[in-house]
Amino acid sequence: MKFFVDTADIGEIRACAELGLADGVTTNPSLVKKAGRPFKEVLAEICALIPGPVSAEVAALDAETMIAEGRVLAKLAPNIVVKVPLTWDGLKTCRMLAQENIRSNVTLCFSANQALLAAKAGAAYISPFVGRLDDVGAEGMALIGEIRAIYDNYGFATQLLAASLRSPEHVKQCALAGADVATVPPGILRELAKHPLTDKGLATFSADWAATGQSIL
Ligand code: G3P
């Protein structure tokens, strides 16, 4: 499973890339707002740092303007993937951009049927939002399994990019369910490294090593 970093914070992306944990990056308007920097400037910086796919979301809601925005975003760097919402106009945009060899990440997916339509439209990635389904009492992770089964049944090339992941458990369940990609906030990536028994064991090893009075360097 690939890891994309779900942030527009260049410092956080760099820190994850240093550990080989940034196979790509996803951004959205809320993350761009949080970064507090000009959209195109921050995208250019991310694309120069990360060779993998970098998702940049359109702002318009109608297909004609979304297509125009998608073309502009795609010109920023060869690794840009244009993020479009899972609406009828978004699917039309995805189709049109695919015909121009511009990759799309279809976002805000909350059902298997939506994911089926995105694959038919030629999406490079589908982004089901696990955490937001959990928020409304549904079982977000079940959707990952459903999409995996449907895409495998028909050999769709669209990559399953699990999004809105809020916990290490979400990440593990995505890997078990066969997601191609998990896009993960940097804080959750750091949490994946943690275990209380690791901390406890390390405290003992450190104390015992100090008691030997030795030095490696
Ligand atoms: O990639 C989409 C993701 O950023 C949404 O996450 O936590 O805002 O639902 P969240």
Side-chain angles (χ1 to χ4, degrees), residues 86 108-116 126-134 138-151 160-163 173-174 177 179:
L86 212 155
L108 290 167
C109 170
F110 294 96
S111 78
N113 281 333
Q114 286 182 317
L116 184 53
I126 182 69
S127 289
F129 275 32
V130 173
R132 292 194 194 184
L133 278 167
D134 291 351
E139 205 195 321
M141 204 51 67
L143 178 58
I144 302 299
E146 287 177 0
I147 298 172
R148 181 73 282 153
I150 290 169
Y151 282 9
L160 203 178
L161 192 171
Q173 292 299 333
C174 282

Side-chain angles (χ1 to χ4, degrees), residues 176-188:
L176 287 169
D180 298 296
V181 188
T183 189
V184 188
I188 303 294

Side-chain angles (χ1 to χ4, degrees), residues 40-109:
K40 292 180 190 171
E41 182 186 296
V42 81
L43 277 178
E45 223 172 293
I46 296 170
C47 288
L49 180 67
I50 302 297
V54 174
S55 288
E57 191 156 343
V58 297
L61 301 179
D62 67 286
E64 193 184 339
T65 318
M66 273 195 254
I67 291 164
E69 289 179 344
R71 288 177 181 143
V72 168
L73 292 172
K75 281 205 180 85
L76 292 176
N79 51 335
I80 286 278
V81 173
V82 177
K83 215 170 177 188
V84 299
L86 212 155
T87 59
W88 198 256
D89 280 55
L91 292 169
K92 187 174 171 186
T93 302
C94 171
R95 185 78 178 163
M96 289 297 295
L97 293 179
Q99 284 166 3
E100 297 176 22
N101 291 318
I102 296 173
R103 293 176 295 169
S104 291
N105 172 1
V106 181
T107 189
L108 290 167
C109 170

